[in-house]
Amino acid sequence: MENVKREFEEELKSVKNFEELKQLKAAYLGKKGKLTSLFKKLKGLSEGEKKEFGRKINELKEHFERLLEEKSKEIFEAIKRESIESEAIDITLPARGINFGSLHPITKTIMEIEDIFRSMGFGVEVGPEIELDLFNFELLNIPKEHPARDMQDTFYINDNVVLRTHTSPTQIRVMKRQKPPVMFISPGRVYRRDSDITHSPMFHQVEGLLVDKNIRFSDLKCILTGFLKLFFGDVKVRFRPSYFPFTEPSAEVDIGCIICGGKGCRVCSNTGFLEVLGCGMVHPNVLINGGYDPENYTGLAFGLGVERFAMLKYGIDNIKLFFENDLRFLEQFSYHKGRLL
Ligand code: PHE
C-alpha cells in the first residue's frame, strides 16, 4: 500500500494535462488499476485483518481522489491563466483617433472665393445647370454661327436646351428679374465635351457681374487684382486684351506663375504667366437683353474656372483627382487655414 501511494504521488507530479490525469486515474482506480487490485487481496485475509486493511485501502482511495481533484483544479487554473495571457489586450497602445470628414477641395475653393467677394459686397446667386440655348448663347450676344455652339463643345438636350457651357447665363437671368444696380457672383457646375488632364466634361465656374451707373474698366481691374492677391497671395497680375461676344472691351487676366515664380516652367509654358480669368465690360447688347438701358448703366463681368484655381493653389497636376474621390487625396484637405472644417 505504501509503495502504491508513493508511486501514485510521484507520477502525479509529472501530470501536465487532463489527458495524462485521466490515464493516471485509470492506472490506479480503473478496473485493472493498481489500487483496485489491492482490493482483490482482501479475499485472502482473516476477518480482523480485512477490517483494518479495508479501512486503510478506502482511506488511500479517498486520498487519491482528493489529490486527483486538486490536480484537476490546478490544470484548469493553468489553462485559464494561459488563455488570459495570450488574449490580453495591450491597453498602452495609442488609440487610432477619430476620422473627421472634410470638405471637398472644390467646395473649399468656392467657399474661399465667395468669402473674398462677399467681403467686397457681392451677393451670391445660382442658376440652373440645364439651360435654354437662349440664355446660354443667344441673349449673351453669341450668334448662331459662333464656334462655342458647336456640338463638339456643347451638350445639347434638344435644339433649344443645353447643359450650360458657362455660368454667364446667370447674368441674363438676374438682370431680367432685378433692376440695377446688381452686384453678385454665381458659382456652379458647367459642362463641355472636353476631357484631358486639365479638362473635365463637368467642371465649376464662378461668374461675376456688377452693373451700376459709372462702372468702369478701372473698377474691373481693381476688383480682380484685389481678389487675385487675396486668393493667391502677393502675385503679379496682368490684363491682356481678348475677345468674348458678351463683353466689350474684353480681357484675359494672368498671374505671375506661382509654380516657378515667373522664371518659366512646364506649367506656364515658359511664359512666366498663368491665365486665370476671362472678363470685360458688359456688352451693350447684353444689357439691353437683360432689360437694362446701356445709356444709363455700364457693367463689368468676369468668369473663372474653379478647378484651375484649386489646381494652382494646391499644386494639383491632374483634374481627374477631384472626381475620383480617393480618400487619400481628399483627406489632405481636412484643415482650412489652421482650423478644422
Ligand atoms: N463665360 C466665359 C467663359 O466661360 C468667361 C467670361 C465671363 C468672360 C464673363 C468674360 C466675362 O470662358
Side-chain angles (χ1 to χ4, degrees), residues 40-266:
K40 288 174 187 157
K41 291 197 169 151
L42 280 169
K43 275 188 207 156
L45 298 175
S46 67
E47 278 310 303
E49 283 173 327
K50 250 187 202 166
K51 210 176 163 195
E52 176 66 5
F53 193 75
R55 190 180 54 78
K56 280 200 169 154
I57 207 169
N58 270 321
E59 267 177 24
L60 191 59
K61 193 180 171 212
E62 276 168 30
H63 178 64
F64 281 9
E65 277 167 351
R66 207 165 42 244
L67 289 182
L68 286 168
E69 182 63 28
E70 274 170 18
K71 191 70 178 185
S72 167
K73 274 188 193 152
E74 220 173 84
I75 293 170
F76 180 75
E77 287 303 320
I79 290 172
K80 206 163 90 179
R81 216 168 31 241
E82 219 170 85
S83 79
I84 287 172
E85 272 163 24
S86 69
E87 288 164 27
I89 296 162
D90 182 357
I91 57 163
T92 64
L93 269 180
R96 249 172 241 185
I98 301 160
N99 286 328
F100 287 99
S102 55
L103 287 178
H104 192 280
I106 293 301
T107 307
K108 254 179 81 159
T109 305
I110 291 172
M111 285 171 76
E112 256 177 76
I113 293 169
E114 279 185 16
D115 278 354
I116 295 171
F117 282 110
R118 276 208 165 96
S119 76
M120 296 180 185
F122 283 80
V124 178
E125 301 280 351
V126 285
E129 291 170 33
I130 299 171
E131 184 57 281
L132 293 172
D133 177 282
L134 186 71
F135 289 144
N136 195 79
F137 295 126
E138 202 75 36
L139 299 180
L140 284 169
N141 205 34
I142 304 176
K144 284 264 188 263
E145 68 279 7
H146 194 279
R149 303 179 81 151
D150 196 301
M151 296 272 282
Q152 291 300 324
D153 296 317
T154 307
F155 289 105
Y156 278 87
I157 288 174
N158 60 40
D159 283 350
N160 301 316
V161 182
V162 299
L163 293 183
R164 65 177 177 186
T165 58
H166 54 177
T167 42
S168 300
T170 323
Q171 292 186 28
I172 300 290
R173 285 186 173 271
V174 174
M175 283 194 281
K176 273 185 173 297
R177 69 165 184 250
Q178 204 177 301
K179 285 201 180 103
V182 287
M183 186 179 187
F184 70 89
I185 58 163
S186 183
R189 295 193 183 94
V190 301
Y191 301 83
R192 285 180 203 176
R193 289 182 54 168
D194 209 349
S195 186
D196 59 35
I197 61 161
T198 53
H199 295 87
S200 156
M202 184 283 291
F203 62 104
H204 299 75
Q205 285 191 337
V206 175
E207 190 78 12
L209 180 68
L210 165 52
V211 183
D212 202 349
K213 294 196 161 122
N214 298 317
I215 298 299
R216 303 170 216 188
F217 199 86
S218 54
D219 298 312
L220 180 65
K221 277 190 86 171
C222 169
I223 288 167
L224 292 181
T225 305
F227 160 66
L228 290 170
K229 285 181 189 286
L230 285 169
F231 187 88
F232 286 112
D234 189 23
V235 285
K236 257 193 225 156
V237 175
R238 167 174 96 171
F239 284 69
R240 203 163 25 76
S242 185
Y243 172 78
F244 296 103
F246 33 91
T247 47
E248 182 60 35
S250 300
E252 276 173 332
V253 186
D254 300 337
I255 56 167
C257 182
I258 51 179
I259 308 291
C260 63
K263 284 198 216 88
C265 69
R266 194 178 55 84

